[in-house]
Structure formats: C-alpha cells, structure tokens
Amino acid sequence: QLEALGVEAKLVPTIDPRSPHCNKIHMLLDDHASDWLVALDIDTVIMGDFSDHLTDPVLAAKIVDQNPLSEEIWSRLYSYFGLTLPRERHLTHFHASESNPYFNTGVLLIPGSQRAALGAAWRKYALKVLEIYPREPEIAKHGFFTDQFAFALALSETGLPYRTLP
C-alpha cells in the first residue's frame, strides 16, 4: 500500500551500533534530489497543513523539550572540536528554560540545497561525539541523544541558516 503512494523504504548500514538514532543521517547522504526533505520520527504526527513551513528555503527544526546538558558541559563539548557555543538561546518546550540551539532531530525540514553539507557534517560529529564519551561521563550518560548533540555541532560548523518550528 505504501509503494502505491510513492513511499520508498530502504535499509541502510549502521553508522555506529552505539547510537542507532544516528542511522537517520543516511537520508541526507543519498543522492536523491528533492526540493525538501521532511524528516519525521515514526512516533511523530503533524496535525494539519504544514506547507507554510516549506516556503523559505532554510532548515527548520523544533527546539528540544528539555536540554539534558548544562551550559558548562555544552561549552566543553563545543570546545573539544574547536567550535564556540552559539550565543543564541531558545526556550525549551517543557520548562521554558533557555537552551543553546539544540534541536529534536525527530522533526526536521531540510531544503535540498542544504542536505549534502549538513549530512556530511552531522555524520562526522556523530562519530566524534561517540569518541569523547570515555573522557566525558557527564555527556556519555545522555548518549541516547548522540544524534542531537552531533546535529547541534554540525549546524555550528556549517553555519547553515536555520529557523525554529513551533
């Protein structure tokens, strides 16, 4: 039934078995041309028409519900890779607490023009973040979010413009 709707299912190799969520990065690495990639985790539902979010060709993502890392730990994470923690702040959904640009990667709207650069950087940082866990137990204990940590770092390195989703 899904094939009749034009849905394509594809098995991808594991980026790293320590972080299965990172496998979603593959959707950015293939050579399938598209105007937009609307990437939603399987437990995500969008109610209503969201096409107005696909008008400005800039990556759009939802800020996390809550940020598991302190400002100090984020700063340390960025500095490991020669990056500076962005000054921009957003409010998390659950507690309305200030957060660096740290997004829920279960809801992403990515213009086709940004896919390759974002995908390469995101994959690189996913592997690099996993490498620092033995030295950083405060970060490693939140390893479930490796893909999201790596996504924040990739956005910082690439300098890709982005906007937040409601």
Side-chain angles (χ1 to χ4, degrees), residues 15-147:
I15 287 182
D16 190 293
R18 294 172 291 175
S19 182
H21 296 129
C22 288
N23 290 346
K24 68 176 74 176
I25 298 168
H26 282 289
M27 66 189 160
L28 299 167
L29 301 175
D30 70 15
D31 57 1
H32 182 79
S34 63
D35 293 334
W36 283 94
L37 172 64
V38 177
L40 305 173
D41 278 357
I42 61 170
D43 62 349
T44 303
V45 174
I46 294 180
M47 301 294 292
D49 182 3
F50 67 94
S51 61
D52 58 330
H53 293 287
L54 301 175
T55 56
D56 183 11
V58 173
L59 182 142
K62 183 191 172 302
I63 294 296
V64 295
D65 293 330
Q66 59 187 26
N67 189 335
L69 303 181
S70 69
E71 186 87 0
E72 174 195 334
I73 293 174
W74 271 110
S75 186
R76 209 164 57 228
L77 179 61
Y78 273 75
S79 68
Y80 263 108
F81 307 113
L83 301 170
T84 302
L85 181 65
R87 292 183 184 199
E88 181 180 352
R89 293 294 174 264
H90 303 277
L91 294 179
T92 61
H93 181 78
F94 284 170
H95 305 292
S97 57
E98 284 194 359
S99 174
N100 57 300
Y102 175 52
F103 297 96
N104 177 336
T105 60
V107 179
L108 299 172
L109 307 179
I110 304 169
S113 62
Q114 294 181 342
R115 282 177 62 182
L118 180 60
W122 193 4
R123 184 180 193 283
K124 176 179 88 172
Y125 281 108
L127 296 171
K128 287 180 174 271
V129 167
L130 288 165
E131 289 173 9
I132 68 160
Y133 283 165
R135 297 186 308 272
E136 285 289 346
E138 286 293 317
I139 302 171
K141 73 181 181 182
H142 301 288
F144 182 84
F145 303 111
T146 298
D147 66 304

